[in-house]
Amino acid sequence: MRRSLGVQVFVSYLIVLVVGLVVLAAALNFLGSRHVARRIEGSGPRFGGPPATNIERIFRTGVADALVVAGIAAIVAAGALSIYVTRRIVLPVQALAAASQRLAAGHHDERVPVQGTDEMGALADSFNTMAEALGQTETRRRALLADVAHELRTPLSGIKGYMEGLSDGVLEAGPETYGRVAVEVDRLQRLVTDLEELSRLDAGVVPLTRQTVPVRQIVEAAVERLRQQAYDQGLILEVAVPEALPAVIVDVDRIQQVLLNLIGNAIQYTPPPGRITVRARSDGPRVRIDVEDTGVGIAAEHLAHVFERFYRVDRSRARSGGGSGLGLTIARYLVEAHGGSIRAASPGPGRGSTFSLTLPSAG
Ligand code: ADP
C-alpha cells in the first residue's frame, strides 16, 4: 500500500498535539490531586503567610512543574520526530542531490536506494529510471560515434591509397583512377547526407506535408524513375496496383523517397535475369505496398536487423554497391512518422525478398 508523505507529516503534527494535550491533562490532574490539597491544608510550615497567598504560590509551583514536564516531553517528541523526518525526507533528498550531480558529471551508472512506497520512494524510483534512460542514450551515442568513424574509415582509406599510388607513380594519373577517387568521395557524400537526414528525423524536426493521393500515382512515379536502371541491369520492373484502391494520406515526397529506396535496393540485390514487382492492396483501414524481388534473399537471422543503422547482411557486397547502410533506417523512420509500419520477409538466401509497408488510407 502506498503511504503518502502528506499523511506522515500530518501524523507527526498530530503526535506533537497529542503529547501537548496529554501533558496538559496530566498537569490539570496534578493540580486537582490529593497531593496538592494536602499541601494547601498543611501549607503553614512550608510556605508561611496567609492561606490565600499560599494557594497562589502552590498553584504557580504546580503550573511551573507541569510546564517543565510539558517542555521536556515536547522536546523529546520534537527530537524524535525530527530524527524521523530527517531519515525519511532530508537524507534521501541529499542523496538525490548528490546523485544528480554525479550523473551530470557523466557517471551514468549512478542509482539511489528506493526506500518505502511514499512520494520519496516514487521520486527515487523516477530518478533511477531517468538515470537508466540517460545511460542507454549515452551508450547509443557512443555506438553511433564508433559506427560513423568506422564507416568514414573505409572510403577515406580508399582515397588515401589512390593518392599514394598516384604520387608513387604506381597508379596512372588518368580518368580511371580519378573515377575511382570520385566513387569514394560520392560514398562519403551519401553517408554525410544520410546522417544529416537521420539526425533531423531523430530530432523530430522533419515536418510532414500530408495530402490525399491515389496509391497508384505514388508507386508509378517512383517506378518510372528507376525503370531505366532496372532495364539496364537486365531486370523486369512491374507494377500491380488495382485502380479501385483507396487513396492514402501521406507526404508524397517522403513516401516516394521510401519507395525509391526499397526499389533501388531490390535492383541492387537482384542479379539478372530477375523480376521486381511492386504490389498494393487494401488491408483494413490501411493500404499495404509490397516491393517483391527474385534476388539474393535474406537469411532469417538477418531479417529482424536490416532496419538497424549500418546493418549489412553481406558487408563487402553492400559496400561495393555504394549504399550508406542507412537507407532502411531512414525508411522506417519515415513510415512510422506517418503512423505506418514496415517489415522485411524472405523465404531464405537466393529466394528473393519482400519489403512491405502499410500506410493509413483515406477510407
Ligand atoms: P544499404 O545502403 O547497404 O543498401 P540499407 O539500409 O538500404 O543499406 O539496407 C540494409 C541491408 O539490408 C543491405 O546492406 C542488405 O544487406 C539488406 N537488403 C536490403 N534490401 C535488400 C533486398 N531487396 N534483398 C536482399 N537484401 C537486402
Side-chain angles (χ1 to χ4, degrees), residues 266-281:
I267 294 174
Q268 188 183 343
Y269 297 104
T270 305
R275 182 183 291 269
I276 296 156
T277 314
V278 187
R279 300 176 201 282
R281 62 183 158 91

Side-chain angles (χ1 to χ4, degrees), residues 17 25 48 100 121 154 160 165 219 222 254 258 297 303 341 350:
L17 192 71
S100 315
T154 316
K160 190 167 178 248
V219 170
R254 294 313 201 159
V258 172
L303 275 177
S341 63

Side-chain angles (χ1 to χ4, degrees), residues 43 78 125 130 219 246 255 265 295 348:
S43 57
D125 206 27
M130 180 191 73
V219 170
I255 292 305
N265 276 350

Side-chain angles (χ1 to χ4, degrees), residues 134 161 195 305 347:
L134 280 175
L195 276 172
H305 301 290

